[in-house]
C-alpha cells in the first residue's frame, strides 16, 4: 500500500470512529454537567463549579485516556474488543484454573447482561436530553417533549431492518460537525471568562473532594455521566482499529468535550440562573432550533451505535452458548458484521419506550444511568487484571498497581451511584438481572440436556461396525447428520434406519463447535476422520464472530477427497423436545423457562445456513 493510500485509509477510519465510537460520549455534555447541580444537592458557587469541572477533566483523562485508550485497547482478541472478547481472553488466560475460570465467566456474563440495561437507558436519556432543548426555546412546548422523543425513537427502530450501511456514511461527518459545534459553543464562553481554565489543575478537584466529602460524593454520581460510552471505544476496536480510535479521541473528541464543559462552567459563573439546562443556554437565541436539530441527530447516531452493538453482543452470546438461536438477518452483502435481529430490536424498543414513559425527563433517567455504566467499568478492569497477569505474564506488582488504581477509581464512582438505586438505578439493574437469569438458565439447561443425551448415547463407531455386519440398502447421494456431541450416534440416523431402512452412499457426521476466539480461518475450519464404508466424522470450527455456514464449510472437504453434490446432499437434524421434570437439575420453574426458550429458538437450519429444501427433521423427547 502506498503512503498516500495508507494516510487516506487512516483518515477514513478515523472519521468512521468519530461517527460510531464517540457518539455516546459525544452527547454526554447535553446532561452530565447539568445533573451535578440539577437537584440542589451541590450548591452553586464558583469553588464548586471549578471543583466539578476539574473532576470532569480528570475523569475523562484517567478513565478514558489512560484506562481505555492507552491500556485496555492493547487487550485485543485477534483484533477484536468488547466485554465478550475480553471475557474470552481472560478465560483462556486462566484455562488451567477451572474454579477461577468459572467465576470469571460468571462475572463476564453478568457484565454482558448489564450491558443490555445500559442499552435501554442510553437511547432514552440521549434523545430526551436533545428534545428537551425545545423547552429552552419555547417553555410552552414542554408537554411535547415525551411525544416527540417517542416519535424519534420509533422511526429509529423502524428503519433498523434496512441496515446501517445507507445512513452510516453520514455518521462521521455529522459527528465531526457536532464536535466542532461543541468546541465553538465552549470557546465563546471561555473567551468571556478565561479564568475558568484554572480548573484544569487537579488541586481544584482535590479541594472540592476534601472540603465537602458528602456533597462531592453525591456529585461523583453525576460526574461519571461524562464517560458514558467509554466501553464503546473497546467494543468497536475490531471495526476501526486502535490507531484511528486513539487519533479521533486525542485530536477531536476529547478537546471538544473539555472545551464544551468548561464553556458551560464559564457561563454558570456569570449566569447561575441558567443551571437548569446549561448546554442549550450557551447558544445564542437564533441558533437554538438548529442546535436542537443537530443534537437530536447526534443522539440518534449515539443510539444507533448502541443498538448495533446490542445486535453484535447478542449474536456473540448465541454462538458462545448463552442464548438460544435467534433470527439473524444480514443487511449488507459486503459487511458480515451488519446484522439485524428483529426480536432484540423490538425488545429494546419496548424497554426504551417504557423508560421514557416511566421517567419522563433526562434528569430522572440520569439517576438510572450511572449504575450500569460503572458496573461494566468495574468488570472490564477486573478482567484486564487476569489478562495482563496470566495472559501477558506481567509481574504481579505491576498488574496490581496498574489495574488496582483504575479499580479504585471505578469503585468510587460505582459507590456514588449505588445511592441512586432507589431513585431509578433499579431499572437497568432489573433489566440486567433478567438478562443474566436468561443467559445462565440457557447455559445450564444446555449442559443438563447434553448430559442427559450423553447418558442415552450410543457410540458411533461401535454402532456403525454393528450396522455393516449386515448392511442395509445404500441409496445414491450424501447424508449430513448434525450431531451435538462428537462420537455419538445421532437420533436422526437411528430413526432413518428404523423407518426407511436405508443408508446413503456417503454419510457425514458433522459437529459444529464455537470457540472463545472472534474468528477461525478457513485453514482451521474443518477436521475430518474416516469411519470406513464412506462414513466420515467431520468437525467444523467457528469463532464467535464467524457466521456459521455449514454447506460452505463442507465444500472445503473436496480438497480432502470427499466429493459433495449440492443437489444430492440431504441434511438430517434431531429436533429435541425438552420435558421439565423434578429432580437434580434446575428448579422446576427454571426448567420450564429453559423448555420455553428451547421451543421458541430459531431453527438450527436457519442458524447454520442449511438449504431449506434439503432438510429432514426428526424429533425426540429429552427429560431434564
Amino acid at each position: 500500500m502506498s503512503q498516500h493510500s495508507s494516510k487516506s485509509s487512516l483518515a477514513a477510519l478515523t472519521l468512521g470512529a468519530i461517527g460510531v465510537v464517540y457518539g455516546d460520549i459525544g452527547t454526554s455534555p447535553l446532561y452530565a454537567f447539568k445533573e451535578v447541580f440539577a437537584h440542589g444537592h451541590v450548591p452553586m458557587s464558583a469553588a464548586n463549579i471549578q471543583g466539578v469541572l476539574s473532576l470532569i477533566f480528570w475523569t475523562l483523562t484517567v478513565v478514558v485516556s489512560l484506562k481505555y485508550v492507552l491500556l485496555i485497547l492493547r487487550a485485543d482478541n485477534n483484533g477484536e474488543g468488547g466485554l465478550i472478547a475480553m471475557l474470552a481472553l481472560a478465560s483462556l488466560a486462566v484455562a488451567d484454573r477451572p474454579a477461577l475460570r468459572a467465576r470469571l465467566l460468571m462475572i463476564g456474563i453478568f457484565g454482558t447482561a448489564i450491558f443490555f440495561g445500559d442499552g435501554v437507558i442510553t437511547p432514552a436519556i440521549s434523545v430526551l436530553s436533545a428534545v428537551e432543548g425545545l423547552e429552552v426555546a419555547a417553555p410552552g412546548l414542554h408537554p411535547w417533549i415525551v411525544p416527540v422523543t417517542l416519535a424519534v425513537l420509533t422511526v429509529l427502530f423502524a428503519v433498523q431492518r434496512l441496515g446501517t450501511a445507507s445512513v452510516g456514511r453520514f455518521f462521521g461527518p455529522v459527528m465531526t460537525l457536532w464536535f466542532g459545534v461543541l468546541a465553538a459553543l465552549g470557546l465563546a464562553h471561555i473567551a468571556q471568562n478565561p479564568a475558568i481554565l484554572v480548573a484544569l489543575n487537579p488541586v481544584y478537584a482535590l479541594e472540592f473532594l476534601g472540603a465537602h466529602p458528602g456533597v462531592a460524593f453525591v456529585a461523583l454520581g453525576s460526574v461519571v455521566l461524562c464517560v458514558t460510552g467509554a466501553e464503546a471505544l473497546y467494543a468497536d476496536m475490531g471495526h476501526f482499529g486502535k490507531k484511528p480510535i486513539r487519533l479521533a479521541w486525542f485530536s477531536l473528541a476529547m478537546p471538544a468535550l473539555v472545551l464544551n464543559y468548561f464553556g458551560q462552567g464559564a457561563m454558570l459563573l456569570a449566569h447561575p440562573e441558567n443551571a437548569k439546562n446549561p448546554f442549550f443556554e450557551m447558544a445564542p437565541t437564533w441558533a437554538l432550533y438548529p442546535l436542537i436539530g443537530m443534537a437530536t441527530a447526534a443522539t440518534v447516531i449515539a443510539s444507533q451505535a448502541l443498538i448495533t452493538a446490542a445486535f453484535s453482543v447478542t449474536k456473540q452470546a448465541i454462538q458462545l452458548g448463552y442464548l438460544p438461536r435467534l433470527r439473524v438477518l444480514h443487511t449488507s452483502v459486503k459487511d458480515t458484521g451488519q446484522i439485524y435481529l428483529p426480536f432484540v430490536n423490538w425488545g429494546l424498543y419496548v424497554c426504551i419506550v417504557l423508560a421514557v414513559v416511566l421517567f419522563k425527563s433526562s434528569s430522572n433517567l440520569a439517576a438510572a444511568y450511572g449504575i450500569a455504566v460503572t458496573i461494566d467499568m468495574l468488570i472490564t478492569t477486573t478482567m484486564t487484571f487476569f489478562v495482563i497477569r496470566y495472559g501477558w505474564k506481567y509481574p504481579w506488582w505491576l498488574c496490581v498497581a496498574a489495574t488496582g488504581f483504575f479499580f479504585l477509581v471505578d469503585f468510587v464512582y460505582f459507590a456514588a451511584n449505588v445511592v441512586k438505586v432507589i431513585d431509578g438505578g433499579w431499572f437497568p439493574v432489573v433489566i440486567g438481572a433478567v438478562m443474566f437469569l436468561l443467559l445462565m438458565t440457557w447455559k445450564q439447561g444446555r449442559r443438563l440436556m447434553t448430559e442427559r443425551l450423553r447418558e442415552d448415547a450410543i457410540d458411533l463407531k461401535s454402532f456403525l461396525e454393528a450396522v455393516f455386519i449386515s448392511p442395509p440398502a445404500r441409496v445414491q447421494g450424501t447424508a449430513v447428520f448434525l450431531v451435538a456431541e462428537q462420537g455419538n450416534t445421532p437420533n436422526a440416523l437411528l430413526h432413518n434406519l428404523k423407518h426407511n431402512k436405508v443408508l446413503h452412499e456417503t454419510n457425514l457426521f458433522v459437529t459444529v463447535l464455537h470457540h472463545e476466539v472472534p474468528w477461525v480461518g478457513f485453514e482451521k475450519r474443518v477436521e475430518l476422520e474416516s469411519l470406513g464404508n464412506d462414513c466420515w466424522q467431520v468437525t467444523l470450527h467457528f469463532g464467535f464472530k464467524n457466521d456459521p455456514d455449514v454447506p460452505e464449510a463442507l465444500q472445503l472437504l473436496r480438497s480432502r477427497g470427499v466429493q459433495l453434490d449440492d443437489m444430492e446432499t440431504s441434511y438430517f437434524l434431531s429436533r429435541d423436545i425438552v420435558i421439565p421434570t423434578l429432580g437434580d437439575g434446575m428448579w422446576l420453574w427454571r426448567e420450564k423457562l429453559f423448555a420455553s426458550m428451547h421451543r421458541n429458538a430459531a431453527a438450527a437450519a436457519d442458524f447454520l445456513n442449511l438449504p431449506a429444501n434439503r432438510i429432514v427433521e426428526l424429533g425426540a423427547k429429552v427429560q431434564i
Side-chain angles (χ1 to χ4, degrees), residues 27 30 126-127 129-134 137 148 152 174-175 177-178 181 279-280 283 286-301:
T27 52
L30 286 166
S126 299
V127 178
S129 61
V131 177
E132 278 168 357
L134 290 172
V148 170
V152 170
V174 170
M175 288 308 296
L177 183 59
W178 170 250
V181 169
F279 178 83
F280 286 107
W286 62 265
L288 257 178
Y289 285 108
L291 185 61
I292 293 165
M294 177 154 256
T296 305
T299 54
V300 163
I301 289 171

Side-chain angles (χ1 to χ4, degrees), residues 21-81:
V21 178
Y22 296 111
D24 191 355
I25 202 167
T27 52
S28 52
L30 286 166
Y31 48 80
F33 192 68
K34 172 181 80 170
E35 285 311 309
V36 178
F37 299 100
H39 306 287
H41 300 306
V42 182
M44 181 73 69
S45 70
N48 285 355
I49 289 170
Q50 289 168 340
V52 168
L53 283 176
S54 192
L55 273 176
I56 286 175
F57 174 72
W58 287 102
T59 300
L60 286 168
T61 302
V62 171
V63 175
V64 185
S65 300
L66 296 181
K67 178 183 160 184
Y68 281 97
V69 177
L70 296 180
L71 174 65
I72 289 178
L73 279 187
R74 295 183 64 208
D76 66 299
N77 190 339
N78 293 341
E80 293 295 326

Side-chain angles (χ1 to χ4, degrees), residues 183-197 259 262-263 266-267:
L185 286 171
L187 273 170
H189 288 274
I190 292 169
Q192 294 171 24
N193 193 350
I196 195 71
L197 294 174
L259 286 170
F262 276 70
M267 181 193 67

Side-chain angles (χ1 to χ4, degrees), residues 448-458 488 623:
L448 289 171
M449 201 169 143
T450 302
E451 286 170 4
R452 186 50 51 91
L453 288 169
R454 195 180 289 143
E455 286 170 15
D456 302 332
I458 302 165
N488 289 348
Q623 289 190 336

Side-chain angles (χ1 to χ4, degrees), residues 67-93 231 233-246 316 380 383-388 391-392 394 516-519 544-545:
K67 178 183 160 184
Y68 281 97
V69 177
L70 296 180
L71 174 65
I72 289 178
L73 279 187
R74 295 183 64 208
D76 66 299
N77 190 339
N78 293 341
E80 293 295 326
L83 201 51
I84 285 188
M86 176 71 88
L87 171 60
L89 270 180
S91 65
L92 286 171
E231 284 284 335
L233 286 171
Y234 182 47
D236 289 311
M237 178 164 53
H239 294 292
F240 302 102
K242 300 173 196 177
K243 195 172 179 181
I245 289 175
R246 286 173 174 155
Q316 292 170 22
T380 301
M383 294 288 174
T384 305
F385 169 79
F386 290 99
V387 171
I388 66 176
W392 300 353
Y394 278 20
E516 293 177 357
V517 294
W519 308 100
F544 59 74
K545 295 204 80 170

Side-chain angles (χ1 to χ4, degrees), residues 113-172:
I114 283 290
F115 165 81
F116 286 97
D118 190 16
V120 168
I121 301 290
T122 296
I125 191 172
S126 299
V127 178
L128 253 177
S129 61
V131 177
E132 278 168 357
L134 290 172
E135 197 174 14
V136 176
L141 293 175
H142 175 78
W144 288 94
I145 289 172
V146 169
V148 170
T149 300
L150 292 176
V152 170
L153 288 167
T154 302
V155 171
L156 174 64
F157 279 89
V159 300
Q160 289 304 310
R161 61 189 177 83
L162 305 175
T164 56
S166 52
V167 289
R169 66 175 71 96
F170 299 114
F171 285 7

